[in-house]
Amino acid sequence: AGVMQQEMGLEVGAQAPDFTLPDATGQMVSLEDFAGQRVLLAFSSTHCRACMEMYPHLRAFSESRPDVQVVMISQGSTEENRQLAQVQGFAFPVIPVLDWGDRVMVDYQVPGTPFFYVIDREGVIANRGFANTLEQLEVLAEGSRE
């Protein structure tokens, strides 16, 4: 699926909407917590097969790129997401959301999963798109090299 549907999601150059939500362990996570850092915001679902296949790549990306803070917003229950993070060995925040109607999903106009936004140090969307492999994640992140 090498086709980038550019009309999907928020515009590159737009301000990334802030959010403050509890992660799967109950810690509050806010986009503002990472001000001054680059963030890879990953939208996924515990019931999405493509997401399942992408998780090991996302973990590898997060481990190989200390310069990019990964935050995952994942549809599914808190329990499902807690187990997912444990099984996959995710060291980054995993924020459960119940469904597509959740405010953060609407704010980010998420077109599907797994979908990613790269947010620069100023909180501006630098890149976006679907990605399934480590290579695609690297390309997304590189596309926004400051």
Side-chain angles (χ1 to χ4, degrees):
V3 182
M4 292 305 265
Q5 277 133 327
Q6 286 300 355
E7 71 277 15
M8 297 179 126
L10 295 174
E11 292 287 315
V12 169
Q15 192 70 30
D18 196 25
F19 56 82
T20 304
L21 295 163
D23 73 6
T25 67
Q27 295 271 141
M28 293 307 284
V29 177
S30 169
L31 188 59
E32 271 184 355
D33 296 344
F34 311 113
Q37 290 173 266
R38 290 174 65 215
V39 175
L40 178 70
L41 192 58
F43 286 91
S44 95
S45 166
T46 54
H47 301 291
C48 145
R49 184 161 297 173
C51 297
M52 292 292 176
E53 291 166 13
M54 176 274 299
Y55 293 145
H57 301 286
L58 186 60
R59 177 185 167 181
F61 177 89
S62 110
E63 288 173 352
S64 66
R65 294 296 296 267
D67 59 315
V68 182
Q69 170 67 50
V70 175
V71 178
M72 190 162 95
I73 295 180
S74 174
Q75 290 184 57
S77 71
T78 300
E79 187 50 44
E80 284 171 326
N81 280 295
R82 196 164 41 223
Q83 284 179 344
L84 173 70
Q86 213 168 4
V87 169
Q88 296 288 342
F90 290 159
F92 49 80
V94 176
I95 299 171
V97 294
L98 285 178
D99 57 44
W100 291 94
D102 205 282
R103 201 184 115 203
V104 71
M105 301 294 288
V106 174
D107 282 354
Y108 277 89
Q109 299 174 22
V110 181
T113 54
F115 192 79
F116 299 86
Y117 284 103
V118 178
I119 300 168
D120 73 12
R121 294 179 177 86
E122 279 73 56
V124 171
I125 292 168
N127 211 345
R128 60 179 181 180
F130 288 97
N132 294 304
T133 65
L134 180 56
E135 190 183 24
Q136 288 171 346
L137 289 171
E138 289 285 0
V139 167
L140 265 184
E142 289 314 315
S144 63
R145 175 58 63 76
E146 290 161 67

